Amino acid sequence: MEVFLTVVDEGSFSAAALARRMTPSAVSKMMTRLEQRLGVTLMRRTTRHIHITDEGHAFARSARAILAALDQAEREVGCGPVAGIVRIATSSAYANHIFAPILPDLLRQHPDLEIELVIGDGLVDMGGQPIDLAVRAGPLPDSAMMTRSLGVSDIITVRAPDGLPGNLGFAYARRDPIWKEGANRVRATDGNTLAALARHGSGTVRVGRFIVKEELARGQLRIVAESPVVREEFHVVYLGKSVALPARVSTVVEYLVQKGRVDQKHGPETA
């Protein structure tokens, strides 16, 4: 179809051959096979000119529509501009402190890209929900998911200068043993909320350093002396191989790997 339309547009086999980087004889043979397959005469040839028949013009209109639809389909699944919705499952902590500051630049680079955030600290069944990517902390279970590293976060213990005694912690069991600790007086399902509770003096909490870097710098929180510092890995995970991802998804993956690491250098902190 593409070669036929080039012949129609260029007006001769030789010009079409030049445009398609083919030989004139190859173009001629291809057009002959096309006419034989369709069972109609698409063009009448003379020594100097090619005249497109009524059947040829009708086929050209259909061929242009088919190729345009194919081009649109390829664009939608990743062979064209970055466009469409990318649904990302992530924690409030990562969304607020890492993703939010870098999102404007991503949106400026790709005006047709849309982002939908599914917020929660718990695991999301990516195979059972319309989720394109997930940002996950801690060890990953064996699965068919592909992963890219987003760095390693220091987990530190902090409290407000005049905070109440008692620990704040998660209301559900975390997979990583680094979160194993004693009884918590106040519990929540979200690390970002726990950090806010500690900032207002409700107790002591273990939290990712990137979540409380600003509070540490302002003196609203302090690192508890002699508390152990452990490390937690972050990953962006997705289903399927990166070479087969739609452009909208692969673009966000690469952007997070480059700009969305949890161990990016930040401003000064105080203990």
Side-chain angles (χ1 to χ4, degrees):
M1 289 185 191
E2 290 176 333
V3 173
F4 170 69
L5 290 177
T6 305
V7 172
V8 173
D9 294 338
E10 298 294 333
S12 70
F13 287 171
S14 57
L18 183 62
R20 304 294 305 180
R21 296 185 179 182
M22 300 170 63
T23 64
S25 62
V27 172
S28 177
K29 291 177 181 178
M30 185 175 289
M31 294 302 96
T32 298
R33 289 197 301 270
L34 179 61
E35 289 178 322
Q36 290 174 345
R37 184 159 65 88
L38 295 175
V40 297
T41 300
L42 298 175
M43 58 192 74
R44 302 189 187 281
R45 305 154 177 85
T46 67
T47 55
R48 295 186 178 182
H49 300 286
I50 290 178
H51 173 71
I52 307 300
T53 64
D54 291 343
E55 292 80 7
H57 283 298
F59 184 71
R61 287 192 296 272
S62 298
R64 291 188 197 279
I66 291 170
L67 292 175
L70 178 61
D71 180 66
Q72 178 63 27
E74 289 180 344
R75 288 173 182 270
E76 290 177 355
V77 300
C79 296
V82 177
I85 301 173
V86 176
R87 297 176 176 86
I88 306 172
T90 185
S91 66
S92 173
Y94 186 87
N96 280 268
H97 299 285
I98 302 295
F99 191 60
I102 65 174
L103 179 58
D105 188 48
L106 176 64
L107 297 177
R108 278 191 290 266
Q109 291 181 36
H110 305 288
D112 295 324
L113 180 67
E114 300 176 35
I115 300 293
E116 184 173 307
L117 296 175
V118 180
I119 302 297
D121 275 11
L123 295 180
V124 174
D125 178 12
M126 296 182 63
Q129 297 189 36
I131 301 296
D132 298 298
L133 307 172
V135 176
R136 291 182 175 171
L140 296 172
D142 293 334
S143 70
M145 293 185 298
M146 306 297 291
T147 68
R148 299 284 298 277
S149 174
L150 296 180
V152 180
S153 171
D154 288 342
I155 305 300
I156 57 178
T157 304
V158 299
R159 64 180 300 171
D162 56 352
L164 294 171
N167 293 326
L168 311 173
F170 287 95
Y172 64 94
R174 300 290 296 268
R175 299 189 313 277
D176 197 326
I178 68 174
W179 294 102
K180 294 291 187 291
E181 54 189 16
N184 299 310
R185 187 179 182 188
V186 178
R187 295 171 293 278
T189 58
D190 167 48
N192 208 43
T193 298
L194 291 172
L197 293 173
R199 184 178 72 245
H200 289 286
S202 295
T204 300
V205 68
R206 301 183 76 190
V207 68
R209 185 185 295 271
F210 71 89
I211 300 175
V212 295
K213 62 183 180 64
E214 294 181 1
E215 288 81 358
L216 289 170
R218 291 194 295 261
Q220 295 175 304
L221 289 172
R222 295 178 179 175
I223 298 176
V224 175
E226 299 181 356
S227 61
V229 176
V230 293
R231 311 188 80 195
E232 183 176 49
E233 293 184 296
F234 276 70
H235 294 88
V236 56
V237 301
Y238 50 91
L239 295 172
K241 297 182 179 180
S242 59
V243 294
L245 291 176
R248 60 186 170 82
V249 178
S250 61
T251 296
V252 175
V253 169
E254 294 302 325
Y255 190 77
L256 291 179
V257 170
Q258 294 178 21
K259 304 289 187 179
R261 294 179 62 89
V262 296
D263 51 10
Q264 297 277 12
K265 297 298 182 181
H266 301 298
E269 300 173 358
T270 60

